[in-house]
Amino acid sequence: MKTAKNIIIGILALAFTACDDYVNVDPIAEINSESYFNSEADYQQALIGAYDALQSTYLNVILSEIASDNSLCGGENANDVTSWQEIDDMEHTVVNSELRNVWKWMYGGINRVNYIFEFRDKTEFEGKDEVLGQAAFLRAYYYFELVKFFGDVPMPIDKRTQFGEESGFGRTPKSEVYAQIEKDLIFAADNLPIVQAELGRVTKGAAKALLGKAYLYQEKFQPAATVLQEIIDPSYGYDLADFGTLFLPEGENGIESVFEVQYSDQEGAGFDCLQCSEGNVLVGFSGIRGYNGPVYADGFGFNIPTQGLVDQFETGDARFEHTILDIEAHATANAGVEYSEGWEHTGYFNNKYIPRKGEQSIGDTHITNNRNYRSIRFADVLLMAAEALNRGGIDDSQAQIYLNRVRERADLGNVNATGAALTEAIYHERRVELAGEGHRFYDLVRIGMAADNIPNFVAGKHELFPIPQEEIDLLGGTISNNNNY
């Protein structure tokens, strides 16, 4: 979190540093069960350590975009970050360093949470259930990322995994992982407030929104509709914001924010430890190569929007210019603009997450941008509720209301369809509303439309990514990988 995370520097940063193994090793000797978790402050600092792992999820977002039909990998050339290029081309294998990073960084976050739950009963203090509620949400968040990427995964709960213990884990069925996610989120929702005093901390609404999303991914439409409609109620305080400023600094943690990953420009990092960055790496990597001119700053030219995505926007859609940067139009309107065309250049850039003039950072400006990631927005909640109501055969008229609420902000007309036509309208709206935010690939997979839309996608294989071979070896080599890998 932009404020709270700064106090993690020092002994906590050392205690919870990720390593190259399956999960984190035992914390350093100065922090153990005898010398720690003796006060509320200890639990709060450990909780900040668990939040801090969220910053590495920039990778999950960019991989999910380039795996979809929304974006091409881009970069300088065809060999620039080959592990990303492989995912873009659906040529990834069990040996892919970036998939391994997703695996180990998510388990690093889980191990930090499990450390808290291992000693949940050691010290009593007022408000401890709220601390545990925040921790439970974070564990659910990390497991949800893992189950989306890999399906059945090992599921250590409530105890740190010590170095060497990982060989005892098998793969837990996805249904059981989802059951644990639901359990954690229900607990979190029951113990969290609607409003937090400190920006970035998890709220009751965030827990219910992620719970609704987990239900939707399992096609549990009735419970999804119920829990999502609860937080649409005005008592939770959410609403749609001005889309023009939604992804700018002034739009952070606003009325549309249900859950944001907080980033800062206060800690530098290097390319040998991108997960150490306190900044949003996604932003710099999505920037314009060799750019010189007004408004924007330069970047690495990855995550390039496709023409297919651009063509999905209806005439007059007010979201378009804030979602897609047409670099040729920008250069025409601003004399003297210079830029380089990178690999797979389409003429478009992701205007939601792109470096801009005046954004300062310590260290490399490309990897310490302080732009927050809008992980769950109220617009997403409205569209998920609409989908659950429609696909569950529950209430198409109410689904229309939620869908059209999103469209009205975009200055678009109402949709009056029902049944399958309404379903298609909701899918369309999800694509244009959430473009560039990392949701499209999983939307296509869960509705069975990935093979029809993603080039080189093989049905029965690419719905999941392969478990990295190094992790299978660390698990003792006794588990099988996902189909056809």
Side-chain angles (χ1 to χ4, degrees):
M1 297 176 293
K2 273 194 170 72
T3 302
K5 73 182 178 188
N6 293 329
I7 69 173
I8 196 174
I9 305 304
I11 193 168
L12 256 293
L14 293 174
F16 292 99
T17 298
C19 70
D20 283 337
D21 296 301
Y22 164 62
V23 288
N24 295 0
V25 295
D26 196 23
I28 57 177
E30 288 83 353
I31 297 180
N32 53 45
S33 60
E34 287 71 37
S35 65
Y36 210 63
F37 294 112
N38 294 317
S39 67
E40 178 183 358
D42 288 347
Y43 284 87
Q44 290 285 2
Q45 286 190 315
L47 179 61
I48 292 167
Y51 271 106
D52 198 61
L54 286 169
Q55 292 164 346
S56 69
T57 58
Y58 79 87
L59 179 59
N60 306 29
V61 179
I62 200 166
L63 291 185
S64 300
E65 276 299 294
I66 65 176
S68 78
D69 55 348
N70 274 356
S71 295
L72 300 172
C73 183
E76 182 177 10
N77 54 54
N79 297 312
D80 197 357
V81 191
T82 55
S83 52
W84 291 10
Q85 304 286 353
E86 291 168 358
I87 291 170
D88 182 25
D89 297 332
M90 290 289 131
E91 295 177 350
H92 46 275
T93 69
V94 297
V95 182
N96 184 294
S97 60
E98 298 300 272
L99 291 176
R100 191 183 182 214
N101 283 338
V102 171
W103 179 280
K104 66 184 181 182
W105 294 351
M106 295 306 94
Y107 274 114
I110 289 166
N111 216 37
R112 298 178 188 195
V113 174
N114 283 343
Y115 189 33
I116 297 170
F117 276 99
E118 183 175 350
F119 297 103
R120 66 183 297 172
D121 297 324
K122 187 180 180 192
T123 302
E124 294 301 320
F125 57 89
E126 186 177 353
K128 188 170 75 170
D129 281 346
E130 185 186 327
V131 170
L132 295 175
Q134 292 179 60
F137 172 92
L138 292 171
R139 182 165 63 189
Y141 191 97
Y142 297 134
Y143 269 126
F144 187 63
E145 291 299 305
L146 285 168
V147 81
K148 285 193 307 180
F149 269 81
F150 303 108
D152 302 346
V153 293
M155 193 175 66
I157 292 292
D158 291 350
K159 182 181 182 299
R160 291 163 295 168
T161 302
Q162 308 282 9
F163 183 69
E165 292 180 349
E166 65 274 4
S167 61
F169 287 105
R171 295 180 69 181
T172 302
K174 182 170 65 173
S175 60
E176 294 180 26
V177 179
Y178 269 120
Q180 180 62 46
I181 290 170
E182 293 172 12
K183 179 181 178 181
D184 273 343
L185 292 173
I186 291 170
F187 175 81
D190 286 344
N191 289 282
L192 293 174
I194 291 178
V195 177
Q196 287 279 14
E198 185 175 33
L199 293 176
R201 288 188 181 264
V202 183
T203 63
K204 184 185 294 288
K208 289 190 173 186
L210 187 55
L211 178 60
K213 188 172 185 177
Y215 284 144
L216 186 64
Y217 271 54
Q218 299 172 82
E219 298 190 345
K220 296 180 177 180
F221 298 124
Q222 183 63 68
T226 298
V227 72
L228 291 168
Q229 286 185 287
E230 287 177 11
I231 59 174
I232 292 173
D233 186 279
S235 63
Y236 276 79
Y238 300 120
D239 203 350
L240 297 177
D242 175 10
F243 202 90
T245 58
L246 185 57
F247 295 92
L248 298 177
E250 55 264 41
E252 292 184 346
N253 299 306
I255 197 169
E256 188 164 340
S257 175
V258 180
F259 184 65
E260 288 189 22
V261 176
Q262 309 291 309
Y263 285 100
S264 170
D265 60 359
Q266 296 304 304
E267 286 298 311
F271 284 90
D272 58 339
C273 187
L274 284 174
Q275 80 274 23
C276 301
S277 176
E278 301 291 311
N280 190 345
V281 178
L282 165 68
V283 177
F285 271 82
S286 299
I288 310 159
R289 295 191 67 84
Y291 179 85
N292 183 35
V295 184
Y296 301 102
D298 77 311
F300 295 137
F302 288 90
N303 192 25
I304 302 299
T306 63
Q307 187 66 50
L309 170 61
V310 170
D311 292 343
Q312 286 294 305
F313 285 87
E314 299 167 56
T315 301
D317 191 328
R319 295 167 296 194
F320 179 78
E321 64 177 312
H322 306 294
T323 302
I324 304 293
L325 169 64
D326 182 331
I327 190 60
E328 293 181 12
H330 173 71
T332 299
N334 297 275
V337 167
E338 299 175 346
Y339 64 93
S340 300
E341 293 187 6
W343 177 246
E344 299 180 310
H345 179 74
T346 63
Y348 304 112
F349 292 89
N350 178 0
N351 213 8
K352 291 178 178 177
Y353 295 107
I354 192 171
R356 296 174 184 265
K357 295 287 188 185
E359 293 177 328
Q360 303 297 318
S361 64
I362 295 174
D364 192 320
T365 58
H366 294 121
I367 55 178
T368 53
N369 190 284
N370 68 351
R371 198 91 55 79
N372 287 356
Y373 169 58
R374 282 64 163 168
S375 178
I376 307 175
R377 296 196 282 118
F378 186 59
D380 189 9
V381 172
L382 289 169
L383 293 174
M384 288 192 292
E387 181 181 344
L389 289 167
N390 166 247
R391 292 184 64 198
I394 302 168
D395 190 342
D396 273 0
S397 61
Q398 188 62 55
Q400 289 174 9
I401 291 172
Y402 294 150
L403 169 64
N404 289 329
R405 190 170 170 185
V406 175
R407 288 178 59 81
E408 285 164 9
R409 176 176 61 175
D411 295 335
L412 298 175
N414 286 346
V415 170
N416 298 312
T418 59
L422 178 57
T423 307
E424 290 301 314
I426 294 167
Y427 294 159
H428 164 80
E429 207 63 35
R430 286 190 62 79
R431 186 177 188 186
V432 293
E433 172 69 31
L434 304 172
E437 300 178 48
H439 305 294
R440 173 68 174 172
F441 178 78
Y442 300 104
D443 279 350
L444 287 173
V445 166
R446 67 186 178 80
I447 64 178
M449 295 178 61
D452 295 330
N453 290 275
I454 300 175
N456 303 321
F457 187 100
V458 177
K461 177 180 181 179
H462 289 133
E463 289 84 359
L464 297 172
F465 293 100
I467 296 175
Q469 186 60 47
E470 290 176 272
E471 302 303 329
I472 289 180
D473 294 341
L474 284 167
L475 288 163
T478 58
I479 68 169
S480 60
N481 216 315
N482 289 320
N483 290 339
N484 299 311
Y485 286 107

